[in-house]
Amino acid sequence: MTAVIAASHLSKWYGNVLGLNDVSLEIEEGITGLLGPNGAGKSTFMKLVTGQMKPNIGAVTVRGRRTWNSPALFLDIGFCPEHDVFYEDMTGLEFVSGLLRLYGFGPAEVRDRAARALDIVDLTKDKDRLIRGYSRGMRQRIKFAQAVAHDPGIVILDEPMSGLDPLGKRKLIRLIKDFKSEGRTILVSSHVLPEIEALTSRVVLVHQGKILAQGDVPYIRELIEAHPHQISVRSSDPRALAARFVGDRSIPKMTFGEDGRTLVVETYKRDDFFGRLAGVVLEDGIEVEEISSPDDNLQAVFEYLVGK
Amino acid sequence: MSVKRSFGRVFGFFFALGRKTGKTRALALLGLFPVVLAVVARIFLRGRSGDMAAVFTEILMVFFLQLYVVILSLFYGTSVVGEEVENRTLSYLTTRPVSKPAIVLGKYAAYSLLMFVMVGLGLGVSFFILNAPRLGDPALYATFLRYLGVLGLGILAYTAFFTFLGALLKKAIIVGLVFGFGWENVIQYFPGSTQRFSVVHYLKSLLPIHRAGPGGGGRGVALLLFRLEPTAPLVAVLALVAIAAVFLALACGLFRTKEYLSED
């Protein structure tokens, strides 16, 4: 698949502070999550992608064109900025309509598109209220509306769920997922791992201006060969189970859960362990109630990668 | 989209927005001061049309030319770029298919028109209140249009300069204040060519000088034209247009090439 957004050896300084360090990345169609703690470089990357800044070294292109001073590119790009800022003296409708007019749409089309965008974000009944009177959730939704009202093929969302309560987050996650359709590219950033996990399995991990890893979560997990996998087995006799794996050099550690029924195994060879576990269950008749991988998720992967 | 159409769209956006802001309301209220003064003068100087006309030329025109136009141009001009950066709304504009010069020019034009309306209303109402006895005289209207034209050119030139300052500096208002109320108020009184390094010199060169008769009463515009060695009117107009054009071009060029980073 051809990359929609491509960064090649991208570096960006803010004075003496390095915002991005030699980042090379290709983003394809679909939803991609940009994940990292505050200050990792996510917003810097998004500002470079949306042409608000120019790289010090390297290049960033959208559909093969550099983004700095390329206004024509934005016919097909929608951007939702990080900050909670608006033209506060405008109503929601005026805000979305006014920005839509900058695309050159005629009055009727502006009206239709604005109405549709406000309907998508469920702000139709509040469209004539001043934005300064909106709640935080409404402000985030109107920001999303202005980003998608012109029906772009590429949507860049910088921390779209910042400041939202759980219900607001759920609404916005649903909106983003609904908006994704065939051929659309959505890049969304967050420092909150469950938000990204709820949206996509395709993740780019960013830390201190560098890309730590990218791909599907399981794929990233597999990359971390040096870090043992955690597998939790709840059974009728966890001690008997543990006794069968003592001495296995691929298992550096085993612990028992507080419930007295769980054995947590750390192993470098996950597939081998599962194979042996099946054999032990059959041979010894130990009842296994549940098997799970507590660290087969983004949280554990990220924490390990950033060395926390 | 062509620069011309982009300009039009940006103009429409900011003209609609500018009308609603608190800043516009506050500055429009300031523009009522000459109207209030005109009404007071009309009441207390009833029957003394010469004195009423002098109130206009020697007090109100000083207010308009050396205070109101400068303040308006300073606040609106520096905010063409500066306000977007400070309020972090710049990304709403630069992530649209409009060129950066079109953003500067469109917003400049929208604010200039807003200011022209504010000045024009205050000027018009106060002028005709104070010159009410002469409303039948066609020359009065020519005088009014001349005053309006001078202030209009002042808006264009000052706003262009302050737009450039706003694109260049973070705290452009401070430098603008020094220029508008320091430099302009001092240099214009220097003899010889030095006074030509002020915008107000060219504006004053375009003011009508009245002796007796419509719009001027029995006195010249003494206060305003003190120490003025006027430039020929056509040259003055060209100079003001050139000032506006040069600083707008510089502002557009700067805005196109500079990165504007928010403070976080």
Side-chain angles (χ1 to χ4, degrees), chain A residues 149-171:
Chain A
H150 58 293
D151 204 23
I154 301 167
V155 181
I156 315 286
L157 306 170
D158 195 352
E159 301 268 5
M161 281 161 277
S162 170
L164 292 182
D165 59 28
L167 183 61
K169 284 184 188 180
R170 213 163 47 235
K171 274 186 184 172

Side-chain angles (χ1 to χ4, degrees), chain A residues 12 14 47 50 52-54 68-69 71 74-75 79 81 83 85-87 89-90 94-95 98-99 101-105 143 146, chain B residues 1 5 9-10 13-14 17 20-22 84 87-89 91-100 256-259 261-262 264:
Chain A
K12 179 67 188 172
Y14 298 101
K47 284 175 186 167
T50 52
Q52 296 173 69
M53 296 196 297
K54 53 188 173 189
W68 175 254
N69 280 334
F74 295 99
L75 283 165
F79 176 61
H83 300 295
V85 291
F86 300 89
Y87 298 106
D89 292 313
M90 288 183 143
E94 285 168 347
F95 180 63
L99 292 174
R101 273 187 222 107
L102 298 181
Y103 291 90
F105 299 125
K143 236 199 288 176
Q146 63 81 32
Chain B
M1 203 192 310
R5 285 184 69 196
R9 308 280 174 185
V10 174
F13 182 85
F14 282 105
L17 176 62
K20 303 174 61 153
T21 63
E84 304 294 337
N87 294 344
R88 298 177 184 178
T89 48
S91 62
Y92 289 125
L93 302 174
T94 56
T95 56
R96 309 285 151 184
V98 290
S99 67
K100 287 177 178 174
R256 197 173 181 281
T257 51
K258 192 178 171 196
E259 283 182 331
L261 305 173
S262 55
D264 50 29

Side-chain angles (χ1 to χ4, degrees), chain A residues 222-265:
Chain A
E222 287 300 321
L223 290 177
I224 313 169
E225 291 173 2
H227 186 66
H229 296 261
Q230 264 191 9
I231 299 165
S232 171
V233 183
R234 196 165 77 215
S235 74
S236 55
D237 194 350
R239 290 183 184 278
L241 200 57
R244 292 296 301 250
F245 291 103
V246 166
D248 186 334
R249 298 174 90 81
S250 68
I251 296 175
K253 187 175 170 185
M254 286 189 285
T255 53
F256 295 101
E258 285 178 9
D259 61 357
R261 297 174 68 83
T262 306
L263 173 68
V264 180
V265 172

Side-chain angles (χ1 to χ4, degrees), chain B residues 163-188:
Chain B
T163 298
F164 166 70
L165 272 192
L168 181 67
L169 304 168
K170 266 190 176 165
K171 305 285 179 192
I173 287 229
I174 296 169
V175 175
L177 280 168
V178 170
F179 172 81
F181 298 106
W183 174 273
E184 286 284 291
N185 275 339
V186 169
I187 294 299
Q188 63 174 303

